[in-house]
């Protein structure tokens, strides 16, 4: 798996992109502001239907362009064509997966698993649980196939329960119906998340060991409600306080990954650099588990690694990436920083993003 071809039109400051990436490592060089992050952003939108830089996709449309079109072809038997288009005049996102005009976001996401490692991603440990929950569910979604349906049912039940809690006069019967629904699907979500976590943990520990051994570091999955009671019981018992708060306080929507060093929250004891390596190990372990559990590969988008990791750890990080069979797009402002990193047999392509006299930037193969 991997992208064979990319064609972007009307994306930020990039002139029409026509790129044939290598199946493995793609290094994108260019000065600040040339458009390196924009290229990764384009691939991210193609695989996730959303940007990592803005909530408003209209911001990625090139100034004065009527739309942005992103097209990619994935290797495989058969090859898979993916397309995303956003018009300036409409808030709708048009998706195409294998020619299907009715493709949904989940089809896109399932077809092209992506992992992003950028300066924001390095804040995974310090940020709110929602980022870690998203990380957890990415893994469960790609490895456990019935997760999406269960996740949707859970979310629907939670929405209804919360709406009822905020309502002045509660119909106990109606509340009980949604509570039952939430308890049933929430428990199932926990089963899948727990099963995924049991597979993930040893892969993470092995990855971290190779990057930066940190004895005493523990990673734990917290399901979001009392360990000893089932969800139905918890929901029932917390009705009164949930009603006061106006939302459901415990449940799968509060799941988290807890990272500690010698029983203290990792965020309070690890250095900034150590935190980045723990996050790197988490992100690499996702791809490694996907490969071993489903023989699928994810595409790594890595923004400005030389600015984030020191040379020694950057090398180890890149070796782990090379050990996987995944495709990588990695940007750098220093052309030399990522040149000697790779082994001779690994296919590496270098690209350059350069300003042109029309005010836009052009991507060209380098060397
Ligand atoms: N919608 C847009 N249309 C045209 N140019 C844009 C748009 N959005 C951002 N830019 C410009 O695109 C350039 C590329 O930024 P970026 O991809 O972050 O560069 P790099 O990662 O190489 O530093 C910036 O100079 C920015 O001002
Ligand atoms: Mg950038």
């Amino acid at each position: 798996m991997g992208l064979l071809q990319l064609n972007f039109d009307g994306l930020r400051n990039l002139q029409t992109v026509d790129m044939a990436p290598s199946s493995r490592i793609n290094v994108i060089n260019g000065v600040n502001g040339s458009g390196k992050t924009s290229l990764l952003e384009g691939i991210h939108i193609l695989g996730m239907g959303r940007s990592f830089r803005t909530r408003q996709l209209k911001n990625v449309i090139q100034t004065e362009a009527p739309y942005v079109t992103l097209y990619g072809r994935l290797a495989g038997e058969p090859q898979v064509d993916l397309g995303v288009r956003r018009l300036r005049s409409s808030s709708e996102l048009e998706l195409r997966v294998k020619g299907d005009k009715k493709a949904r976001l989940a089809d896109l996401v399932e077809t092209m698993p992506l992992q992003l490692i950028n300066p924001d991603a390095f804040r995974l440990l310090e940020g709110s649980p929602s980022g870690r929950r998203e990380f957890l569910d990415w893994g469960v979604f790609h490895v456990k196939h019935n997760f999406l349906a269960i996740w949707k049912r859970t979310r629907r039940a939670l929405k209804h329960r919360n709406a009822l809690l905020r309502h002045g006069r509660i119909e106990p019967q109606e509340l009980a119906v949604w509570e039952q629904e939430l308890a049933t699907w929430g428990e199932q979500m926990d089963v899948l998340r727990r099963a995924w976590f049991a597979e993930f943990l040893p892969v993470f520990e092995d990855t971290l060991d190779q990057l930066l051994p940190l004895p005493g570091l523990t990673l734990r999955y917290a399901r979001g409600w009392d360990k000893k009671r089932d969800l139905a019981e918890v929901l029932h018992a917390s009705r009164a306080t949930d009603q006061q708060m106006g939302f459901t306080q415990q449940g799968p929507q509060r799941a988290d990954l807890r990272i500690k060093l010698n029983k203290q929250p990792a965020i309070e004891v690890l250095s900034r650099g150590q935190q980045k390596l723990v996050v790197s190990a988490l992100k690499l372990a996702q791809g490694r588990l996907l490969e071993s559990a489903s023989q699928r590969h994810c595409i790594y988008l890595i923004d400005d690694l030389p600015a984030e990791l020191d040379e020694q750890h950057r090398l180890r990080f890149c070796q782990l990436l090379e050990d996987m069979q995944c495709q990588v797009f990695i940007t750098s402002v220093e052309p030399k920083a990522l040149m000697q990193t790779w082994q001779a047999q690994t296919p590496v392509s270098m690209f350059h993003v350069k300003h042109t006299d029309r005010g836009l930037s052009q991507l060209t193969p380098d060397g």
Side-chain angles (χ1 to χ4, degrees):
M1 224 180 87
L3 287 157
L4 299 168
Q5 178 65 36
L6 285 169
N7 292 84
F8 295 163
D9 209 6
L11 173 66
R12 299 253 189 213
N13 71 328
L14 292 172
Q15 259 181 31
T16 303
V17 172
D18 179 352
M19 181 185 191
S22 132
S23 61
R24 295 298 316 281
I25 313 291
N26 296 279
V27 181
I28 296 123
N29 290 308
V31 297
N32 285 323
S34 56
K36 303 178 297 298
T37 302
S38 301
L39 185 82
L40 298 191
E41 190 181 21
I43 303 172
H44 192 273
I45 298 168
L46 185 62
M48 309 274 281
R50 61 180 169 83
S51 164
F52 53 81
R53 283 213 277 205
T54 172
R55 283 169 185 276
Q56 297 267 330
L57 266 190
K58 113 171 155 275
N59 294 334
V60 313
I61 305 174
Q62 197 161 89
T63 319
E64 304 196 6
Y67 55 77
V68 58
T69 313
L70 310 163
Y71 162 84
R73 172 166 293 168
L74 279 169
E77 293 284 339
Q79 296 176 351
V80 176
D81 288 339
L82 300 171
V84 171
R85 185 202 297 257
R86 169 67 157 78
L87 301 181
R88 191 180 289 284
S89 58
S90 149
S91 61
E92 212 177 303
L93 197 62
E94 298 170 34
L95 307 177
R96 298 264 191 294
V97 180
K98 303 174 195 161
D100 178 7
K101 293 187 183 178
K102 291 205 205 81
R104 284 168 314 173
L105 211 51
D107 302 320
L108 209 63
V109 176
E110 194 181 2
T111 311
M112 194 169 120
L114 281 182
Q115 278 292 328
L116 171 70
I117 303 182
N118 70 352
D120 287 334
F122 284 122
R123 291 206 285 268
L124 188 69
L125 304 192
E126 74 196 57
S128 74
S130 64
R132 290 183 294 277
R133 209 155 42 235
E134 199 177 296
F135 175 87
L136 163 77
D137 286 344
W138 185 98
V140 192
F141 172 76
H142 284 289
V143 176
K144 306 278 173 204
H145 287 295
N146 42 354
F147 183 67
L148 183 64
I150 294 173
W151 182 84
K152 281 184 176 164
R153 281 168 176 258
T154 310
R155 196 182 53 172
R156 177 160 168 264
L158 180 67
K159 230 173 91 186
H160 280 279
R161 185 176 190 268
N162 283 343
L164 287 171
L165 290 172
R166 280 192 297 270
H167 216 262
R169 229 186 71 244
I170 292 189
E171 291 294 337
Q173 267 173 337
E174 208 182 335
L175 190 64
V177 169
W178 288 114
E179 232 163 57
Q180 176 58 48
E181 185 83 0
L182 178 56
T184 306
W185 298 110
E187 292 282 1
Q188 293 210 33
M189 255 175 90
D190 175 45
V191 169
L192 290 183
R193 281 170 167 172
R194 190 190 302 269
W196 173 82
F197 184 75
E199 294 172 50
F200 179 75
L201 184 60
V203 182
F204 165 71
E205 287 174 344
D206 177 68
T207 311
L208 186 65
D209 238 25
Q210 295 186 53
L211 261 184
L212 170 86
L214 278 173
L217 187 117
T218 55
L219 174 67
R220 193 170 68 77
Y221 158 65
R223 65 175 179 174
W225 69 94
D226 195 329
K227 266 186 278 193
K228 296 190 195 77
R229 292 189 298 167
D230 39 345
L231 185 53
E233 197 185 328
V234 168
L235 291 174
H236 191 80
S238 54
R239 267 188 194 176
T241 54
D242 282 358
Q243 202 181 343
Q244 276 168 12
M245 305 290 284
F247 64 91
T248 306
Q249 298 171 83
Q250 294 190 63
Q253 77 283 6
R254 302 296 294 271
D256 198 358
L257 292 173
R258 304 255 160 84
I259 301 161
K260 292 192 171 173
L261 188 74
N262 301 322
K263 306 218 163 99
Q264 285 179 284
I267 183 75
E268 281 163 31
V269 279
L270 292 181
S271 75
R272 192 90 185 89
Q274 286 172 321
Q275 286 177 39
K276 286 183 186 179
L277 288 161
V278 171
V279 173
S280 304
L282 285 166
K283 294 262 171 179
L284 290 169
Q286 280 277 28
R288 295 180 78 198
L289 178 60
L290 186 73
E291 289 195 356
S292 65
S294 69
Q295 281 75 52
R296 301 179 70 216
H297 306 287
C298 69
I299 296 172
Y300 276 89
L301 305 178
I302 303 174
D303 206 10
D304 217 4
L305 192 70
E308 299 291 338
L309 300 186
D310 63 57
E311 198 180 336
Q312 181 200 350
H313 291 104
R314 190 159 78 218
L315 265 172
R316 288 204 201 140
F317 177 93
C318 289
Q319 278 162 8
L320 283 160
L321 269 179
E322 265 192 297
D323 290 343
M324 284 189 255
Q325 294 302 308
C326 56
Q327 189 178 38
V328 180
F329 293 83
I330 183 166
T331 69
S332 171
V333 279
E334 311 160 44
K336 291 197 197 79
L338 292 164
M339 263 164 70
Q340 262 84 52
T341 314
W342 320 100
Q343 289 165 33
Q345 73 274 16
T346 303
V348 178
S349 293
M350 311 285 279
F351 295 87
H352 201 122
V353 199
K354 232 188 318 211
H355 291 295
T356 65
D357 42 14
R358 289 175 48 216
L360 298 175
S361 278
Q362 194 174 22
L363 177 100
T364 47
D366 218 7

